[in-house]
Structure formats: C-alpha cells, structure tokens
Amino acid sequence: MFVFTFTQSSIMAGVRAISGNLGLVRALHFPRASLPISFALQQLQQLLFSMTVLFIIVIGFGSYPSLSWLLIFPVLLLQFLFNTGLALIVARMGAKTPTSPS
C-alpha cells in the first residue's frame, strides 16, 4: 500500500510540477527537469518515513529482520527510478494542459 501511494503521489506531483511553479519557471533559467525530480525525491522521503514506522511495527509484533530484508533497498531504488520517469513524462503533459481557475 505504501509503495502504491508513493507511485500515485509522485505522478500527481509530477503533473503539477511545472504548472504549479510557473512563476519560477518563467523568472529563472534552470533545468526544468529538476522540478519533477525534486518532487519525486520528496515523495521518496515520505515513503522512507512510512517504511521506518512499518519496520518498527513489524519488529514489535515479533518478526525479526533477516538477510532478505536488505532487498528492500534495490527494490525501492528501482521504484524511485520508475516514478521519476513517470513524473518527468506527466510533467511534460501537465505543462501543456491548461489549468482551470480555482
């Protein structure tokens, strides 16, 4: 569930990355790709906080770490790379889509 939420929030943040920071994009010259990447990193940080709490709860219920728990790091890295790619794609599409006034 946490990983699905990580993917969902990375994509939604990617959609709003350019259009939500339009003033910054127009005022400064910098790599536009840094916005979706930074939002994906922010979502990764939130996931790591959630996973830390989850590990504490799992250990509290008596399931102790084994070597297979170390596989979570490459899996989360691959998921982060996938989410970053999706965020970059949808940021491009989101920049072309007009926003409705709210």
Side-chain angles (χ1 to χ4, degrees):
M1 189 67 180
F2 290 130
V3 176
F4 174 76
T5 305
F6 171 47
T7 301
Q8 176 193 13
S9 55
S10 294
I11 292 171
M12 293 305 296
V15 169
R16 292 175 293 214
I18 303 295
S19 61
N21 295 306
L22 204 52
L24 180 66
V25 169
R26 289 182 179 161
L28 299 172
H29 294 287
F30 65 96
R32 306 303 193 256
S34 63
L35 289 172
I37 292 171
S38 67
F39 284 118
L41 276 170
Q42 183 181 20
Q43 297 304 320
L44 177 64
Q45 181 184 17
Q46 294 295 322
L47 174 70
L48 291 178
F49 288 144
S50 300
M51 294 299 272
T52 302
V53 171
L54 178 67
F55 286 146
I56 291 170
I57 291 171
V58 167
I59 290 171
F61 279 105
S63 179
Y64 295 103
S66 65
L67 285 177
S68 64
W69 282 35
L70 293 176
L71 291 174
I72 194 71
F73 295 112
V75 168
L76 288 180
L77 175 67
L78 289 173
Q79 187 67 35
F80 168 71
L81 292 174
F82 176 73
N83 290 352
T84 303
L86 284 177
L88 289 168
I89 291 169
V90 298
R92 177 77 175 175
M93 291 188 293
K96 301 285 184 186
T97 306
T99 58
S100 61
S102 52

